[in-house]
Structure formats: structure tokens, C-alpha cells
Amino acid sequence: MSLTNNKIKEKLVEKFGESVFGFEENYELLTFEAPKEINLKVLQFLYDDEELNFQFMTDLCAAHYPDNIGKELAVVYHLHNLKDNIRLRFKVYTSIQKPDVYTATQLFSAANWMERETYDFYGVNFVGHPNLKRILNVDEMDYFPLRKEYPLEDQTRLDKDDEMFGRGGTIV
Amino acid sequence: MNENETITQPEIFPGVVHPTAGGGILISSIDDVVNWARSNSLWPLVFGTSCCAIEMMSTASAKYDWSRFGFEVARATPRQADVIIIAGTIVNKMAPVLKRLYDQMADPKWVIAMGACATSGGPFFYNTYSVVKGADHVIPVDVYIAGCPPRPEALLHALITLQQKIKSGLTREQIRSGI
């Protein structure tokens, strides 16, 4: 019998009780949340458990929710069980004032560069990372460009105004 | 003869044949011969930073075959290259690398800015925190190509234009003022 989302959920709740919560299934992808303090315990359990076998990290990234006071930054882990070909998504939240999250590099070597990228763009401080410095942007950069305080578009640009497409617009 | 004609219609070989008994003597100037030689064996540097590089590779391969014009000896080291084709976006982190590659190339050397990104930042002109808005902020450019990405024919046209520029032996200012 292959692994199912319900089975994964049962095993996690059995092990961690109310520390794992927020279970959702979006497009059949199991998603759940845990406090950031136990992120490594959850990842290790998913890795070691004989039935779960989530031993491949597909992706690690972050997201910024500025309205989510005290939990502004989410670190998202995408894991893959190669044996049963089943995936899951695991989130931990942290405040933006103290964005410290334990590093997953001891468990997944692939997390090294992905955590550097996440630090580069969102400023998540991965505690215990062996080489936490910028990876894609220039070293001199003194901000984290994918945080939401930077607007998606330059508010002064005119080239997307309707006037430019011959249908009215605001440029006289 | 008008210089503009020289630029648009380069002679096959610079010089005139002075007929003598049993053959002839070629009369030319050493500058013209050197420029002719340089323009017909332009060795490009293997350098591509995004999708324009795919078009550049296509231009190099069988269907478009830029070796017809003498560009086939692409070098993987700047010390042996004559021309650098900036095929793709230059980001702030790449800019010092590009400058260093250019500095490592031996004179005489030429630069082609291929496509919108290398010309002006292109689609990344607005709303960017990382893109250099034109490679000419970093190194001087001889020929610009429009397009996103330009077709292989456009790259060939730019390379032939560069050949004509070299053959004309004129500086940028001379070409611009139409002397």
C-alpha cells in the first residue's frame, strides 16, 4: 500500500501532536505548518521514518506576508518521497524583526545554496549555516529585494499607460 | 570616391593591380591590408549570459554558419579573442566580470552588443534592482543589434557591419560625421 496524504498526516500528528497544524491539500499537495523551533525535528522525522522517506529536498524558499504581524516571513520546504513518488510542503513562520531559523544543511546538502538564496532575497538568517552570504546579488547590496516594502513596479513609469496603446489614458 | 560608398560596398581586396608584362603589381597601403586581414578573421569570445546566446549558437551552427564570414574560431579565452559578443543581460554582479574579460582581450578588440538587454537593459529597463541598463555603461560598444532576441540574420548583419567598420579604417567619430 503506497503512502497517502492522510497517512502522512496521521503519522505527523501521532509524533508531534498539536505542534503540527494547518493541514491543507492544494491540488493534492499536502501542506502543513510547525513552529520554527522544531523545523529540524520535523524534517528529520520525515527523513528517517521507514514509511515516510522524505529524503529529497526539491525546493526551499521564503515568502513575505507583511500583514501577518509577528509571522511576517514564511520559510517553505518542498520535500519529495522518491520511493512512493509523493510530495509535501512544509512551512515555518518567523518574525521579520528576528528572522532566525535553524539551517537544514546538516540534513540536506542541497539546502546550502537554497538557504543562501533565501537569505539573499528575504533576509532569513539561517542559524548554523556554514557560509551564509549573498549568492546571486552583489555583496554590497544592503537590502533584501523581494520583501514587500519594495513596490513591484516603478510608480513613475509611463510606458504602460493606456495612452501608449491608443485607448485614452492619463498622459496629456 | 565618397567614403560612405567605401563603407557600404567594401572592396574584395584593398588595392589596384598595376599591369606589367607577365603579370602585375598590386598597389595598396599597409593599413588597408592589415584592416582587411583583421576584419576577415574575427575570433569571437565564447560569452553568453542569456537567451541571446542561444541565437548566437544557432548562428554558429550549420544552418546559418557564420564561418562563411570568418567568425568560426570562437575562443574560450579572452586572450585569443578579437571580438566579444555581449549576448544577454548584464547584471550588476556580472559587470565587473565583463570589464575584466574585456581588459584581458588583446588589442585590437571590438564589442558587439547583441539584443535589447545588452543595448539598454531592454525588458529590465524598468523595475529592476540588479540589471545594468546597457553594456556600454561598462565597456565601449562598436555595433548594437536590435531585437529580443535578434534573429541569426541580424547577428550576421552586425558582424558584417563590424567588418565594414574595420575595413573602412575610420574612427567612430569619423564615421558619425561622415568624413
Side-chain angles (χ1 to χ4, degrees):
Chain A
M1 181 65 199
S2 70
L3 202 56
T4 62
N5 283 347
N6 277 334
K7 180 77 181 160
I8 299 165
K9 184 180 169 182
E10 275 171 29
K11 295 210 69 150
L12 282 163
V13 172
E14 185 194 334
K15 172 81 178 169
F16 294 102
E18 288 178 7
S19 294
V20 288
F21 52 96
F23 284 92
E24 285 176 46
E25 276 186 48
N26 298 313
Y27 301 98
E28 298 178 8
L29 177 66
L30 182 70
T31 303
F32 69 97
E33 219 180 288
K36 67 173 181 177
E37 289 77 15
I38 63 162
N39 69 332
L40 292 187
K41 290 198 177 75
V42 174
L43 289 172
Q44 188 79 55
F45 174 69
L46 289 165
Y47 191 102
D48 287 339
D49 189 87
E50 280 180 6
E51 280 181 88
L52 295 177
N53 276 316
F54 284 95
Q55 299 184 350
F56 185 77
M57 174 172 276
T58 321
D59 198 12
L60 189 165
C61 59
H64 185 198
Y65 303 103
D67 300 331
N68 207 352
I69 305 299
K71 297 168 74 178
E72 287 92 349
L73 289 171
V75 176
V76 187
Y77 303 89
H78 286 246
L79 302 176
H80 194 171
N81 173 336
L82 294 163
K83 217 173 247 176
D84 297 292
N85 194 22
I86 189 163
R87 296 165 190 270
L88 67 76
R89 185 198 287 144
F90 167 45
K91 289 182 174 183
V92 297
Y93 288 86
T94 176
S95 83
I96 204 162
Q97 275 76 36
K98 199 170 181 300
D100 297 344
V101 175
Y102 293 119
T103 177
T105 45
Q106 303 301 318
L107 195 52
F108 298 104
S109 299
N112 189 318
W113 284 10
M114 292 196 269
E115 286 182 352
R116 279 178 67 185
E117 186 192 14
T118 307
Y119 163 74
D120 194 354
F121 285 99
Y122 293 91
V124 177
N125 179 34
F126 288 98
V127 179
H129 191 286
N131 184 29
L132 193 65
K133 60 177 189 181
R134 288 186 185 273
I135 185 167
L136 291 171
N137 285 304
V138 288
D139 290 330
E140 300 83 50
M141 190 177 259
D142 54 1
Y143 56 97
F144 302 111
L146 289 196
R147 287 189 178 177
K148 293 275 170 66
E149 62 254 39
Y150 305 106
L152 188 61
E153 290 213 328
D154 179 356
Q155 304 301 304
T156 61
R157 68 185 291 180
L158 301 172
D159 61 315
K160 281 190 170 178
D161 194 277
D162 276 347
E163 172 65 25
M164 297 293 180
F165 302 96
R167 53 185 184 218
T170 56
I171 306 167
V172 180
Chain B
M1 191 169 63
N2 187 329
E3 282 295 344
N4 282 331
E5 284 175 29
T6 318
I7 293 168
T8 52
Q9 294 177 316
E11 293 157 41
I12 301 299
F13 186 83
V16 290
V17 178
H18 180 71
T20 56
I25 300 167
L26 183 78
I27 302 169
S28 184
S29 74
I30 189 71
D31 280 352
D32 286 348
V33 175
V34 167
N35 286 336
W36 169 83
R38 282 176 176 167
S39 68
N40 283 324
S41 70
L42 283 171
W43 291 10
L45 178 68
V46 177
F47 180 81
T49 44
S50 49
C51 30
C52 278
I54 304 293
E55 295 297 299
M56 185 173 72
M57 288 176 238
S58 176
T59 315
S61 54
K63 185 160 182 175
Y64 295 95
D65 193 15
W66 68 10
S67 60
R68 292 178 292 159
F69 306 96
F71 311 121
E72 74 275 28
V73 197
R75 306 314 285 194
T77 163
R79 297 182 196 283
Q80 297 170 359
D82 301 307
V83 56
I84 178 168
I85 299 168
I86 306 169
T89 319
I90 301 300
V91 293
N92 290 332
K93 198 161 183 176
M94 197 67 196
V97 181
L98 176 64
K99 176 74 167 69
R100 184 169 183 168
L101 285 169
Y102 179 75
D103 289 344
Q104 285 176 335
M105 286 165 67
D107 277 320
K109 54 192 172 187
W110 296 276
V111 179
I112 289 176
M114 181 179 181
C117 292
T119 304
S120 67
F124 309 105
F125 186 81
Y126 290 103
N127 310 323
T128 182
Y129 50 88
S130 59
V131 175
V132 178
K133 294 170 182 178
D136 49 8
H137 286 287
V138 187
I139 57 176
V141 174
D142 291 284
V143 181
Y144 296 86
I145 319 173
C148 185
R151 285 196 57 87
E153 292 92 331
L155 177 57
L156 283 175
H157 181 251
L159 285 159
I160 293 166
T161 306
L162 178 64
Q163 285 186 326
Q164 290 167 351
K165 181 177 181 173
I166 296 167
K167 280 184 182 134
S168 78
L170 300 175
T171 63
R172 189 178 317 188
E173 289 71 27
Q174 285 170 323
I175 291 170
R176 202 171 282 156
S177 60
I179 295 168

